[in-house]
Amino acid sequence: MPNNAILRRQRALGGGLGVLVLGFALLYHFFPRVFHVDPAQAPRRSMSMGTVAPASGLQPERRSAIGELNAGPPLTLAPAAVIAARGSHNANLPEQLSADPPEVRALLEQATRALHAGRLVGAADSAAALFQQALKTKPDSRRAVQGLFDVHARLVAEIDQDIAVGDADAAQDLLGALRTLPNAETEVTQLEASLKVLEQVRPMLAKAAGLLQQGKADRPAGGSALELYREVQKLDPQNAVAEQGIFQVQRAVLDRALAAVAQNDFAGADRELAAAQAIRPGSQQMIDVHKRVDDMREQRANGMLAQAHSALDAGNVELATRLAAQVRAIAPGLAALAAFDEQLTNARLYASFKPGQVFTDRYVDLPGKTPAMVVIPTGSFRMGASADDDRSATAQPQHTVTIGKGFSMARSAVTVAQFREFVRASNYVPDSIRLGGASVYDERSGALREDSAASWQDDYAGRKADDDLPVVNVSWNDAKAYADWLSQRTGKTYRLPSEAEFEYALRGGTRSRYWWGDDAPKHTVENLTGSGDRSRSGRRWSHAFRNYRDGYWGPAPVMSFAANPFGLYDINGNVSEWALDCWHDNYIRAPDDGSAWINPGCRSHVLRGGSWGSSPEQVDSTYRQGADGELRSGRVGFRVVREL
């Protein structure tokens, strides 16, 4: 396959050769003496007159303008017989009183052969002379009248043709012959006017051909071949030389478009294509070159997009972004670009995951894997309670928080089995063991009580916990230690969620009081305090969601209920959960980027989300409370976040 430099040389050579041929033809035609040719002596070809006597004033066959100007598809160079047949109608034939006698029929046959042979006028055996002789013998011969009319039409067509290609001498010769025919005064007058126009445009055409040869096809403004050809067309709309010149101008502009493509300058190619379209809209050469450019554009864009995919696969998001921008500049409508843009966005914001995608990380140094994580989409939300909401001053002032980078959050709270794996592998001593005990539910009093024997291995009431229950009786310190251990095992960054991340994830894109709406749920959504719930001894909640029942008194196995819009389970029920932030009494000066609000050495931390024992007010999406980091409670667990 030739390289770009060879293609440019080939295009330049082809375009230059075409311009040179056209310029040579025009120069030879308009200024024959440059080539030591005497116009009076030069042989000529005539489609109509054949060889005639010098005394007639008509020249022998004149040179063909068709071969001379074969630079593109001419508009008016069809055979004169065809033009005459299409443009004429039958003559106004007389009423013939008797049949043509034999001598007239013989003349008519001879005249018809002369007509078909192109010998229209001039000699005694020309079609015009023979038809006129037949009419002298029989004035009412319809064939003779029609034949003379056909000669007339053919002459007019050939003169029009000569004028169209700029052959004023040949047109003048034929015009002299036309004057010899009867009833030709109107056409003669019109054709003489056309010849005057031709004399006016001939120097303009010669100058335009020179500009075209100099490479000034359509620029500069005020000195281009295109402008001169347009001026000629205003004076002579049917001028075939001007039409061919404009064809060559467009070809030159299209060659510039192809040269721009060879340099990967598709923006420049588009500009040249637009310029070519303005010259001759919808021409076949325009269509052909446009398709070639589009094919090359798509080929180049697909190749560059493949490079962008490779860069993205290698983790080089910056390079992939630059390559995608180049693809967009080359072919903004490329079908595969939208899908890659989505991959690029996911790579930039979500480390090549997709929002809503669920995944786990495997440990790098021992068997096992992390809890299932779901990718949380980026976005903004109004955090906290509005100023007219007097339910909790700790959730004010309300402020906008923007989560500019995606993160993933565990689909559920950490389970007893998952926490046990951590304790065994790390030899970590949880605070419920190190400090002794936790707060568990007392069935007799219906309240939490301290139990020195309770530990993370027990459920909310101090009994042995099942593996699929959320781990409770864990402190903030225990939760952080678990997240740090996951980071060590995977090489990824695991931590507790910030308070802003938790509320954003809890809401799941909603603005209502709860993620399911503003009122008590109409169907089972979370493990909440419902008016229909009963304890083992038949206790009821004194303040609960009306007409709601989930069937549990105490925590339920994780993921027993519905997920919120972000795909998170038990996010506002089952157990309240630790956040990374230190406790602050309100949101004055709180971060607005979703990060945790931490004061070094703080002892109190934030708890978010409702639990199996929370009142409806404590399940509000804005509700928050603070607790000592060493708190262990049968209502408190945690889940982790993994940075992307």
Side-chain angles (χ1 to χ4, degrees):
M1 179 176 181
N3 59 33
N4 291 339
I6 293 175
L7 288 174
R8 287 196 301 272
R9 288 196 294 270
Q10 289 175 343
R11 294 190 189 104
L13 182 60
L17 185 59
V19 172
L20 185 62
V21 170
L22 178 60
F24 179 85
L26 291 171
L27 187 62
Y28 180 84
H29 178 74
F30 294 128
F31 306 103
R33 289 186 173 86
V34 172
F35 300 95
H36 307 288
V37 176
D38 186 351
Q41 302 296 327
R44 295 181 181 174
R45 182 193 61 81
S46 172
M47 295 177 63
S48 57
M49 299 176 64
T51 302
V52 296
S56 67
L58 300 178
Q59 298 294 334
E61 282 195 325
R62 59 186 172 85
R63 182 172 43 85
S64 171
I66 298 176
E68 185 178 30
L69 299 174
N70 190 18
L75 300 180
T76 57
L77 299 186
V82 175
I83 297 175
R86 290 183 178 180
S88 65
H89 304 283
N90 286 335
N92 186 14
L93 302 178
E95 181 180 355
Q96 187 164 340
L97 300 179
S98 61
D100 294 329
E103 62 272 21
V104 171
R105 287 200 301 272
L107 287 171
L108 292 175
E109 292 297 331
Q110 187 179 356
T112 301
R113 287 193 297 272
L115 177 64
H116 290 163
R119 300 191 308 276
L120 301 183
V121 294
D125 63 346
S126 67
L130 293 169
F131 282 128
Q132 286 178 320
Q133 185 178 349
L135 282 173
K136 288 179 181 178
T137 304
K138 187 169 177 42
D140 65 346
S141 173
R142 294 169 64 90
R143 284 184 62 189
V145 172
Q146 180 64 55
L148 198 57
F149 180 84
D150 290 341
V151 170
H152 182 132
R154 286 278 293 275
L155 273 175
V156 170
E158 291 199 11
I159 296 170
D160 278 334
Q161 197 175 53
D162 287 335
I163 292 174
V165 299
D167 195 343
D169 295 336
Q172 190 66 55
D173 290 344
L174 293 176
L175 189 59
L178 181 62
R179 291 190 184 97
T180 66
L181 299 182
N183 304 317
E185 293 81 2
T186 301
E187 287 83 354
V188 167
T189 301
Q190 294 173 347
L191 292 171
E192 284 177 339
S194 297
L195 270 173
K196 290 181 180 178
V197 172
L198 177 59
E199 292 297 330
Q200 184 179 356
V201 303
R202 285 178 72 180
M204 298 170 64
L205 291 170
K207 183 178 180 181
L211 291 173
L212 191 59
Q213 189 173 11
Q214 296 169 28
K216 299 178 180 180
D218 61 330
R219 54 196 185 204
S224 71
L226 178 62
E227 291 169 325
L228 279 175
Y229 286 132
R230 294 291 193 210
E231 288 298 320
V232 169
Q233 287 189 323
K234 289 179 182 178
L235 297 170
D236 184 7
Q238 301 303 318
N239 192 286
V241 176
E243 177 63 18
Q244 294 309 300
I246 290 175
F247 178 90
Q248 287 292 338
V249 167
Q250 188 184 53
R251 178 72 260 173
V253 176
L254 291 174
D255 285 343
R256 294 204 305 260
L258 292 173
V261 170
Q263 296 295 325
N264 290 323
D265 181 11
F266 288 93
D270 287 338
R271 289 192 296 271
E272 300 296 354
L273 287 174
Q277 174 69 6
I279 294 171
R280 295 179 76 239
S283 69
Q284 188 59 50
Q285 67 173 353
M286 176 73 203
I287 294 171
D288 293 342
V289 172
H290 206 302
K291 185 177 185 305
R292 287 179 62 188
V293 171
D294 285 346
D295 290 345
M296 297 167 73
R297 182 197 310 276
E298 185 173 357
Q299 182 180 7
R300 175 60 177 160
N302 282 324
M304 190 168 290
L305 190 60
Q307 297 177 33
H309 275 291
S310 298
L312 191 59
D313 292 341
N316 194 337
V317 177
E318 182 181 353
L319 177 58
T321 302
R322 290 202 306 269
L323 290 171
Q326 294 177 34
V327 173
R328 187 173 293 102
I330 293 172
L334 190 67
L337 188 58
F340 182 77
D341 283 342
E342 182 180 357
Q343 292 178 340
L344 196 58
T345 298
N346 290 340
R348 189 167 52 249
L349 299 179
Y350 307 108
S352 295
F353 293 105
K354 296 180 180 179
Q357 183 176 344
V358 177
F359 70 94
T360 58
D361 287 322
R362 292 198 171 274
Y363 303 150
V364 296
D365 56 351
L366 52 84
K369 60 183 180 180
T370 65
M373 312 295 292
V374 61
V375 179
I376 306 301
T378 59
S380 297
F381 76 109
R382 295 287 288 168
M383 184 175 182
S386 61
D388 56 0
D389 188 345
D390 58 0
R391 287 174 295 179
S392 178
T394 62
Q396 295 174 355
Q398 192 177 50
H399 57 290
T400 298
V401 173
T402 298
I403 307 295
K405 181 155 179 29
F407 64 94
S408 63
M409 179 177 278
R411 299 179 79 193
S412 71
V414 174
T415 65
V416 173
Q418 290 166 340
F419 196 78
R420 180 181 295 113
E421 178 189 37
F422 152 64
V423 171
R424 288 176 176 173
S426 65
N427 294 319
Y428 176 79
V429 180
D431 281 352
S432 60
I433 303 298
R434 184 176 65 85
L435 300 176
S439 298
V440 298
Y441 178 73
D442 182 13
E443 180 72 30
R444 289 176 298 177
S445 65
L448 294 176
R449 63 174 176 81
E450 294 297 323
D451 184 343
S452 60
S455 75
W456 63 270
Q457 300 186 74
D458 299 324
D459 68 6
Y460 77 107
R463 297 182 295 269
K464 180 71 172 178
D466 294 334
D467 284 353
D468 59 355
L469 286 172
V471 65
V472 293
N473 302 326
V474 287
S475 67
W476 183 90
N477 304 317
D478 297 336
K480 183 178 183 301
Y482 177 81
D484 291 344
W485 178 77
L486 288 180
S487 297
Q488 295 170 6
R489 298 286 73 78
T490 63
K492 310 297 181 181
T493 302
Y494 281 82
R495 56 174 172 78
L496 295 178
S498 72
E499 184 179 4
E501 288 171 339
F502 197 99
E503 182 173 332
Y504 176 70
L506 183 153
R507 288 181 177 276
T510 67
R511 299 182 180 180
S512 51
R513 184 177 182 184
Y514 316 107
W515 65 257
W516 59 81
D518 290 315
D519 302 309
K522 305 300 182 184
H523 57 279
T524 305
V525 292
E526 296 259 21
N527 182 9
L528 308 170
T529 54
S531 63
D533 290 328
R534 300 289 185 274
S535 72
R536 291 187 176 187
S537 62
R539 284 185 174 277
R540 300 184 181 183
W541 298 112
S542 60
H543 186 35
F545 286 100
R546 293 176 59 83
N547 302 318
Y548 183 76
R549 180 178 183 277
D550 54 49
Y552 286 91
W553 192 279
V558 297
M559 300 175 64
S560 296
F561 301 95
N564 83 336
F566 281 173
L568 298 168
Y569 292 86
D570 312 316
I571 189 69
N572 205 14
N574 224 25
V575 294
S576 297
E577 302 178 26
W578 287 110
L580 189 59
D581 304 58
C582 296
W583 171 255
H584 296 84
D585 291 337
N586 53 52
Y587 287 142
I588 296 175
R589 294 187 298 278
D592 60 3
D593 60 356
S595 60
W597 192 3
I598 298 176
N599 304 108
C602 70
R603 295 182 56 85
S604 295
H605 293 273
V606 177
L607 286 169
R608 293 300 300 251
S611 75
W612 57 270
S614 299
S615 67
E617 289 78 14
Q618 294 171 327
V619 181
D620 191 298
S621 296
T622 66
Y623 184 76
R624 60 195 294 264
Q625 56 183 317
D628 188 283
E630 294 182 347
L631 172 76
R632 288 92 62 201
S633 169
R635 288 173 52 180
V636 176
F638 72 98
R639 74 179 71 208
V640 292
V641 155
R642 198 264 241 188
E643 295 182 358
L644 300 177

